[in-house]
Amino acid sequence: NKMELYPTKYDFKKLITEIIDSVSNEYASEKVEHFARIDSKIPKTLFGDNIRIKQVFMYLLFSTVHKLPHSRLSMEVSGDVDINTNTVMLTCTIAESGFGLSEVEIEAMLSAYTKYDSRQKSDFKGMGLELSICKEILELMGGSLSIKSVPGVGMSVDFEFINYIIEDTIA
């Protein structure tokens, strides 16, 4: 509960492009199909902690296909503008096909300070702490994080957060 946000003015399109480029470069030599769908109606200039936002996206994107060849990764981002509060709720889904987790594994990973039992699946060692941090960051931004999964099939991470709108022209 000591985490703080440092909001600043930032260009949403530039930030999301940096994130997508990083993922594309990382998985260029892998057999991972990936695509992104970004809502074109998201305002261009936002006010929020862009460093923390990038941290959440990068962690969730890279951990979702953690050591998984032949996987498919998708990211969707949409925005719901509230003109009364001059904010946008950014809703995001990162999904993969390939492995999935059980509900017990997901609960353990989302519980703060709970160490994931690496004897069960050593590939997921350490993911719990990072997911807890992402969840805390998103909650500080008025958002949330949830995971849906089918073991052996795939999983999706759904998250949302609120930013103020500085410039409402479309990104």
Side-chain angles (χ1 to χ4, degrees):
N1 292 328
K2 295 182 180 184
M3 191 176 302
E4 291 184 39
L5 298 177
Y6 298 98
T8 186
K9 177 180 168 181
Y10 73 96
D11 183 316
F12 176 77
K13 184 177 182 181
K14 182 178 176 186
L15 178 70
I16 206 75
T17 299
E18 288 173 7
I19 292 166
I20 292 168
D21 287 347
S22 293
V23 172
S24 295
N25 291 336
E26 180 69 24
Y27 293 118
S29 64
E30 305 281 331
K31 293 182 179 178
V32 176
E33 294 178 49
H34 55 279
F35 75 91
R37 183 176 307 146
I38 311 302
D39 184 352
S40 62
K41 295 182 215 118
I42 296 173
K44 177 180 171 47
T45 308
L46 302 178
F47 186 75
D49 190 334
N50 63 326
I51 302 297
R52 296 285 192 189
I53 293 166
K54 187 172 184 178
Q55 178 184 2
V56 167
F57 270 99
M58 297 299 283
Y59 174 73
L60 294 175
L61 282 163
F62 286 115
S63 68
T64 301
V65 290
H66 186 69
K67 297 182 182 179
L68 295 173
H70 311 291
S71 191
R72 182 179 175 155
L73 173 68
S74 66
M75 176 176 77
E76 294 187 39
V77 182
S78 62
D80 185 23
V81 173
D82 183 338
I83 58 172
N84 295 321
T85 59
N86 199 39
T87 59
V88 60
M89 173 66 80
L90 294 157
T91 304
C92 315
T93 298
I94 296 172
E96 67 80 32
S97 63
F99 73 104
L101 298 171
S102 72
E103 287 200 28
V104 171
E105 292 167 321
I106 291 169
E107 278 184 43
M109 288 172 49
L110 287 175
S111 298
Y113 311 112
T114 299
K115 291 218 178 232
Y116 185 76
D117 187 349
S118 62
R119 293 172 293 178
Q120 292 174 334
K121 290 188 179 180
S122 61
D123 286 348
F124 306 120
K125 185 176 180 182
M127 286 177 68
L129 180 59
E130 287 87 355
L131 279 172
S132 292
I133 291 169
C134 288
K135 185 177 175 189
E136 185 175 342
I137 290 169
L138 293 164
E139 288 171 353
L140 284 171
M141 292 186 211
S144 63
L145 180 141
S146 66
I147 298 174
K148 297 173 193 151
S149 182
V150 176
V153 175
M155 72 179 212
S156 69
V157 179
D158 300 303
F159 60 101
E160 61 184 12
F161 58 95
I162 298 172
N163 274 191
Y164 286 96
I165 300 168
I166 299 294
E167 184 180 337
D168 62 0
T169 57
I170 297 173

